[in-house]
Amino acid sequence: MSIEVHQITKHYADQKALNNISFKIDKGEIVGFLGPNGAGKSTMMKILTTYIDATEGEAKVADFDVQKDALEVQKRVGYLPEHNPLYLDMYVKEYLAFNADVYKIGKARIEEVIALTGLTPEAHKKIGQLSKGFRQRVGLANALLHNPEVLILDEPTTGLDPNQLADIRQLIKSLGKEKTIFLSTHIMQEVEAICDRVIIINKGEIVADKKLTDLKADQEQIVEVEFDYRVENILLNRLKHVQNVKNTHDFIYELTFSTKEDMRPMVFDFAHDNGLKILQLNQKNKNLESLFREMTM
Ligand code: ADP
Ligand code: MG
């Protein structure tokens, strides 16, 4: 197991930031930790990276206890903090070399992480000259220096423009082929783009922990159909698996089905049997973003 969290609670003075949290992450998984601001994501990540201690409960990273074996955990985890402190006056290589020295890592590894994170064309520049996207790459390169088996990335794409966002997501995905990745975000699309699984946290509590494939399958199916003529709702309500019928516009109907089986062929047959013509037929899934909003209200 790469990460094991067992009944973790964290208080800051009289505020409870995490309330009895438990989850496990297998080797090789890319898991999104999704929640609105203030949900407790960074707090959980700081506990896993040994920066702060939990008030109650235990956590292990790469089978080592974060409190009892903090040094062993640090050797195996790479961390990109939310507000990554970079020295803007330092050159990329200088910065990486400085950190490599601290951790007694050979010079060859610096070139490796530069190549791995796509920093090569910018490697001779000062960090202050780099775009936000490239600064994040420097942060990732830094987190990768000691070749950790687990990567913990706190909002790695916040503040990036759409191109940088796509590039960094791509990079994280490719790193995920070799490593276990636990990344936080407040955007559902991010999870859809990168992760195999999502753990949703709200007000210090876990409200969902699901594989993305299951999350998609769980959802109801909505079929939007336009007939060439008005149809009585009562007739549409007789369709198999239909949960709800809504006449949204003229002869356009939104049909909600309680199954993931594609209902379009059946709607097509229905039209045929009733002497109707179909002008358009679309399958719409309730998007994951709205699901997230419901869970974190
Ligand atoms: P997230 O990363 O999901 O936005 P955080 O873990 O940063 O959430 O914060 C969770 C809650 O704990 C918030 O209400 C925040 O204000 C509070 N909090 C975080 N760090 C501290 C701290 N050092 N002292 C007091 N309260 C804190
Ligand atoms: Mg945070």
Side-chain angles (χ1 to χ4, degrees), residues 36-43 45-46 82-83 154-155 184:
N37 277 333
K41 303 181 296 295
S42 296
T43 298
M45 292 185 146
K46 286 178 201 163
E82 187 172 10
H83 303 289
D154 198 353
E155 307 222 10
S184 72

Side-chain angles (χ1 to χ4, degrees), residues 19-79:
N19 187 10
N20 199 26
I21 299 255
S22 301
F23 61 87
K24 289 179 183 176
I25 297 178
D26 262 332
K27 221 177 154 91
E29 278 190 289
I30 304 184
V31 178
F33 197 34
L34 180 68
N37 277 333
K41 303 181 296 295
S42 296
T43 298
M44 188 69 245
M45 292 185 146
K46 286 178 201 163
I47 292 170
L48 291 173
T49 50
T50 77
Y51 278 82
I52 60 172
D53 285 336
T55 312
E56 281 167 51
E58 292 103 52
K60 285 182 178 176
V61 175
D63 300 322
F64 287 97
D65 189 287
V66 292
Q67 235 158 319
K68 296 188 199 109
D69 291 311
L71 277 174
E72 296 303 320
V73 170
Q74 287 160 18
K75 282 182 199 163
R76 290 164 180 85
V77 65
Y79 177 38

Side-chain angles (χ1 to χ4, degrees), residues 130-244:
L130 303 180
S131 66
K132 180 96 202 308
F134 274 95
R135 287 183 199 181
Q136 281 302 68
R137 287 174 197 260
V138 175
L140 279 168
N142 190 49
L144 286 164
L145 271 175
H146 57 309
N147 200 13
E149 56 183 273
V150 179
L151 277 180
I152 294 187
L153 313 176
D154 198 353
E155 307 222 10
T157 66
T158 298
L160 300 185
D161 73 31
N163 287 328
Q164 297 166 346
L165 192 86
D167 291 346
I168 294 291
R169 282 179 182 170
Q170 190 60 42
L171 174 58
I172 292 170
K173 240 186 132 129
S174 74
L175 293 171
K177 288 183 192 139
E178 309 262 306
K179 304 187 182 297
T180 306
I181 297 185
F182 186 47
L183 74 98
S184 72
T185 173
H186 55 267
I187 313 163
M188 187 54 139
Q189 283 101 307
E190 178 115 316
V191 174
E192 286 188 78
I194 313 180
C195 303
D196 313 318
R197 186 176 138 206
V198 62
I199 297 175
I200 304 181
I201 181 172
N202 189 36
K203 299 185 183 121
E205 300 194 11
I206 289 179
V207 292
D209 178 350
K210 279 189 182 270
K211 288 213 163 86
L212 261 272
T213 45
D214 292 344
L215 200 59
K216 286 178 183 157
D218 275 354
Q219 296 176 72
E220 47 205 17
Q221 175 188 181
I222 294 170
V223 171
E224 189 184 64
V225 56
E226 183 178 4
F227 298 109
D228 64 338
Y229 201 72
R230 201 166 70 84
V231 184
E232 292 298 334
N233 277 21
I234 194 163
L235 209 58
L236 291 165
N237 264 309
R238 285 195 206 126
L239 288 169
K240 201 168 141 198
H241 299 307
V242 85
Q243 260 184 345
N244 190 36

